């Protein structure tokens, strides 16, 4: 038989492993059946053709749109750009899958924000759709919609639900990209990072929505070996605004390089129940959706 050997001081790495329960196995099966389209290459028409021909369970009429934009990456340590896009909106659609397109090693992450009707009117009045320097531009749109995470996996909707697009508050999208250039490298370009989106006009029974719990700024005092903080809370007054029972599908945890573990705790009538989601070992290089059982 074979034996394990020491990997040495250079040949080492890390990975995120989830021990599969039934729900995880179902999601893995769905992802295995999804299109094997490389996130960093190919065009929307080629991706759509692949989706139509591979018999993976996505409808034959699936359409694909790519939301990307090129930028010159400054030598600044931190840069945020934002570009606005007009989404297909002649009718309501369901997004069945979206995947990151990353073409720069300096891309830290990206977020797609929906523009409500008021924000969309402001976007239409602008002379240009971008890209804009976020530090010099007041972004018009604020509703979290999709995420671009380097090394992240594609998101596949459950077979009975889709992420709505084309509704009155989803005609426009603001795609914010964050670049991290700590070494001050010059002359670098990103030829186009963002999202590849698969959608259909054949609506599924349920709409997918998103609840965002976040802390935009966390002040960390110097000299600490560890810091434990409650960064965001959705109290009973918040959950009481839900229009009815919700089925929770996935958690997506995001922290920066100092983050090591994260949990979404759940309480009812003063009693703590099982967590909604938890990552005991967070690694920025391995991000993705965590199914909620």
């Amino acid at each position: 038989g074979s034996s394990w050997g020491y990997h040495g001081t250079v040949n080492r790495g890390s990975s995120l492993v989830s021990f599969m329960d039934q729900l995880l196995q179902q999601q893995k099966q769905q992802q295995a059946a999804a299109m094997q389209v490389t996130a960093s290459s190919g065009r929307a028409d080629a991706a759509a053709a692949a989706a139509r021909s591979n018999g993976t369970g996505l409808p034959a009429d699936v359409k694909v749109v790519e939301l990307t934009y090129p930028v010159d990456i400054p030598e600044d340590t931190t840069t945020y750009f934002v570009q606005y896009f007009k989404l297909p909106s002649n009718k309501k659609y369901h997004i069945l899958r979206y995947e990151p397109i990353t073409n720069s090693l300096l891309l830290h992450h990206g977020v797609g924000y929906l523009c409500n009707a008021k924000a969309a009117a402001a976007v239409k009045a602008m002379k240009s759709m971008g890209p804009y320097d976020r530090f010099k531009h007041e972004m018009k749109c604020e509703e979290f919609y999709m995420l671009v995470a380097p090394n992240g996996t594609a998101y596949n909707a459950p077979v009975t639900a889709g992420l709505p697009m084309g509704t009155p508050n989803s005609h426009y999208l603001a795609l914010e990209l964050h670049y991290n250039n700590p070494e001050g490298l010059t002359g670098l370009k990103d030829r186009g990072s963002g999202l590849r989106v698969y959608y259909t006009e054949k609506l599924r029974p349920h709409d997918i929505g998103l609840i965002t719990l976040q802390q935009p700024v966390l002040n960390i005092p110097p000299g600490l070996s560890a810091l434990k903080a409650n960064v965001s809370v959705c109290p009973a007054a918040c959950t009481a605004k839900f229009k009815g029972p919700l089925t929770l599908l996935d958690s997506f945890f995001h922290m920066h390089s100092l983050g090591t573990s994260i949990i979404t705790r759940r309480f009812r009538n003063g009693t703590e129940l099982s967590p909604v989601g938890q990552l005991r070992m967070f690694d920025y290089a391995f991000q993705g959706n965590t199914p909620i059982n």
Side-chain angles (χ1 to χ4, degrees):
S2 60
S3 61
W4 293 92
Y6 178 53
H7 51 65
T9 59
V10 177
N11 184 25
R12 60 175 65 183
S14 60
S15 181
L16 177 65
V17 177
S18 296
F19 292 98
M20 294 167 54
D21 60 17
Q22 184 177 7
L23 185 62
L24 278 168
Q25 189 169 2
Q26 290 173 355
Q27 188 190 60
K28 287 289 185 181
Q29 290 171 347
Q30 290 177 1
Q31 292 178 343
M35 297 74 63
Q36 300 301 314
V37 179
T38 302
S40 60
S41 64
R43 298 187 56 83
D45 50 0
R52 296 187 189 103
S53 64
N54 64 2
T56 59
L58 291 175
D61 69 335
V62 67
K63 300 177 181 179
V64 181
V65 60
E66 290 188 356
L67 308 174
T68 64
Y69 57 95
V71 294
D72 295 324
I73 302 173
E75 61 186 74
D76 301 334
T77 299
T78 300
T79 304
Y80 285 83
F81 290 106
V82 62
Q83 170 90 26
Y84 297 92
F85 293 90
K86 178 72 167 66
L87 298 176
S89 55
N90 60 317
K91 62 175 67 175
K92 181 179 179 180
Y93 297 96
H94 266 166
I95 294 173
L96 309 183
R97 170 186 171 94
Y98 68 83
E99 57 196 19
I101 300 174
T102 57
N103 283 304
S104 171
L105 294 176
L106 298 184
L107 181 66
H108 185 276
H109 76 283
V111 179
Y113 296 94
L114 278 184
C115 308
N116 60 27
K118 181 179 179 180
V123 172
K124 287 189 288 186
M126 295 191 307
K127 294 182 179 180
S128 169
M129 300 285 274
Y132 293 96
D133 182 337
R134 273 285 283 115
F135 293 143
K136 302 176 182 178
H137 170 78
E138 182 181 356
M139 194 168 68
K140 310 300 181 184
C141 313
E142 298 180 345
E143 182 181 343
F144 183 91
Y145 195 48
M146 292 182 283
L147 182 71
V148 182
N151 302 312
T153 57
Y155 175 75
N156 294 286
V159 295
T160 59
L163 188 64
M165 179 177 68
T167 55
N169 286 325
S170 60
H171 287 188
Y172 286 85
L173 177 134
L175 180 58
E176 178 189 76
L177 297 179
H178 170 199
Y179 294 88
N180 187 42
N181 187 3
E183 297 180 4
L185 303 177
T186 60
L188 298 181
K189 298 178 181 291
D190 184 343
R191 59 188 175 87
S193 293
L195 292 160
R196 181 180 291 118
V197 179
Y198 300 79
Y199 66 101
T200 179
E201 62 182 49
K202 294 182 179 179
L203 302 181
R204 292 175 170 182
H206 304 289
D207 286 345
I208 295 174
L210 295 100
I211 301 172
T212 304
L213 303 176
Q214 66 173 349
Q215 181 74 20
V217 177
L218 180 62
N219 294 317
I220 302 176
L224 297 180
S225 60
L227 174 67
K228 182 178 181 180
N230 294 323
V231 299
S232 184
V233 178
C234 180
C238 170
T239 58
K241 296 180 180 180
F242 298 161
K243 296 180 180 180
L246 301 179
T247 299
L248 301 180
L249 300 174
D250 300 274
S251 290
F252 189 98
F253 294 111
H254 176 72
M255 297 187 289
H256 289 198
S257 57
L258 293 181
T260 57
S261 64
I262 188 169
I263 183 173
T264 303
R265 302 167 69 190
R266 180 169 56 115
F267 298 84
R268 181 177 299 146
N269 298 324
T271 301
E272 184 166 8
L273 307 177
S274 59
V276 172
Q278 181 177 12
L279 284 180
R280 293 183 174 88
M281 297 292 293
F282 176 83
D283 188 331
Y284 173 77
F286 299 92
Q287 300 186 63
N289 292 297
T290 303
I292 296 173
N293 192 346

